Amino acid sequence: FTLGGVCLNVGCIPSKALLHTAAVMDAARGLAEHGIAFGEAKVDLAKPVERAYAPHAALNDNAGWKTLPIGQFLWERKEHLLQRRGFKNDEIRVVAAKPTPWGHPHASLQLVEALSKVRTSPEFVALAGLFKRVKSTTKAMEDSDVGLQKIQRKLKEPAEVQLAQQFTQQWPSISSAMANGEYVRAMRELGSLYPPVDRFFTDVLVMAEDPQLRQARLALLTHLRSAVLRNIGDISEMAPEEARQS
């Protein structure tokens, strides 16, 4: 038995908290008529949803709002809107793999738009195909706090050193482009990682006999996997059919 039922815990009351947040944003925009402007709002839906449900956490056995289907509901709404705009399902599935794909509506739209524009880029499509191999190779690996520079010191083969160096140099530029809303540029720069990733898998035996070397190689690929999945999504969804089936 839960005190208050659906309305108090997961329905009307938390919804009104979200509506209050929207009303505050609308009021802030209205101040422009009085000469006070705050710039464009950046929305992270996960935070207002968490704030709305926080007072009712104890009534949900402290399981948190993420155990509720609201995230799935919000993503289904966004997915429907993206489909109505004519984006392909594989482009949408890339973004769906992010930790909270519904959390940043405008950014997700920009990202899907960029993916639709770079799907004709040979390097990006080839990297998408290799990303499946990156995931499968690192499927047993957890995200690591070990920095890339420390990992790089343990690497030996020119191909793996080149990948570590180019990833270290390139990723800040990719992140900066995304932060500035330049998603097409970010995706093209991501595609430029294809040659070193391809050479890595051609020249390097990941499962080396030396356990420290093997761990360093896996850690390098795990850094790449995690950076892409967290910030962009599962780009292997856009790989050619034969690459996704292999």
Side-chain angles (χ1 to χ4, degrees):
F1 177 75
T2 302
L3 179 65
V6 172
C7 185
L8 174 63
N9 300 319
V10 297
C12 310
I13 305 304
S15 296
K16 285 182 172 60
L18 292 175
L19 290 173
H20 173 70
T21 300
V24 170
M25 290 176 59
D26 188 60
R29 281 196 297 265
L31 288 174
E33 298 177 2
H34 302 274
I36 303 173
F38 295 98
E40 183 181 356
K42 295 183 179 180
V43 179
D44 178 357
L45 275 177
K47 291 181 180 178
V49 169
E50 185 171 1
R51 181 176 179 274
Y53 280 95
H56 315 284
L59 301 177
N60 191 28
D61 296 324
N62 289 310
W65 65 268
K66 291 183 180 180
T67 64
L68 303 172
I70 184 170
Q72 182 63 28
F73 170 78
L74 290 172
W75 169 247
E76 287 174 356
R77 294 297 88 206
K78 179 184 285 187
E79 184 179 38
H80 174 71
L81 291 173
L82 291 172
Q83 289 170 340
R84 289 289 299 273
R85 285 176 179 250
F87 295 110
K88 297 183 183 300
N89 287 331
D90 58 352
E91 298 160 358
I92 298 171
R93 289 197 302 269
V94 172
V95 180
K98 294 182 69 176
T100 52
W102 47 270
H104 300 84
H106 185 57
S108 292
L109 172 60
Q110 290 178 301
L111 178 54
V112 174
E113 285 178 336
L115 291 168
S116 71
K117 292 176 181 177
V118 299
R119 66 178 307 127
T120 57
S121 164
E123 282 194 334
F124 182 85
V125 172
L127 180 64
L130 277 182
F131 194 67
K132 180 180 179 181
R133 189 170 178 183
V134 172
K135 290 193 306 173
S136 64
T137 304
T138 60
K139 62 183 178 182
M141 294 288 293
E142 299 290 337
D143 289 348
S144 173
D145 294 329
V146 180
L148 277 171
Q149 290 185 340
K150 186 174 182 179
I151 293 170
Q152 188 174 328
R153 288 196 292 268
K154 298 179 181 179
L155 302 176
K156 298 179 178 180
E157 297 291 337
E160 59 193 3
V161 173
Q162 182 194 14
L163 174 58
Q165 290 176 340
Q166 189 159 342
F167 179 61
T168 301
Q169 294 168 1
Q170 200 84 5
W171 191 258
S173 178
I174 294 171
S175 296
S176 175
M178 293 182 66
N180 293 327
E182 300 175 83
Y183 286 88
V184 174
R185 179 167 74 86
M187 296 306 100
R188 294 196 188 284
E189 290 196 28
L190 178 65
S192 70
L193 289 174
Y194 165 70
V197 174
D198 181 55
R199 186 182 174 199
F200 176 91
F201 280 118
T202 300
D203 295 353
V204 176
L205 177 63
V206 179
M207 298 303 178
E209 291 185 8
D210 182 342
Q212 289 191 344
L213 181 57
R214 180 173 65 246
Q215 190 67 20
R217 290 171 175 173
L218 287 169
L220 172 60
L221 291 178
T222 301
H223 269 278
L224 174 61
R225 177 202 70 189
S226 300
V228 174
L229 286 176
R230 277 198 306 266
N231 296 280
I232 299 165
D234 187 357
I235 61 173
S236 69
E237 291 289 348
M238 292 179 63
E241 190 64 30
E242 59 272 18
R244 289 195 282 122
Q245 291 179 349
S246 61

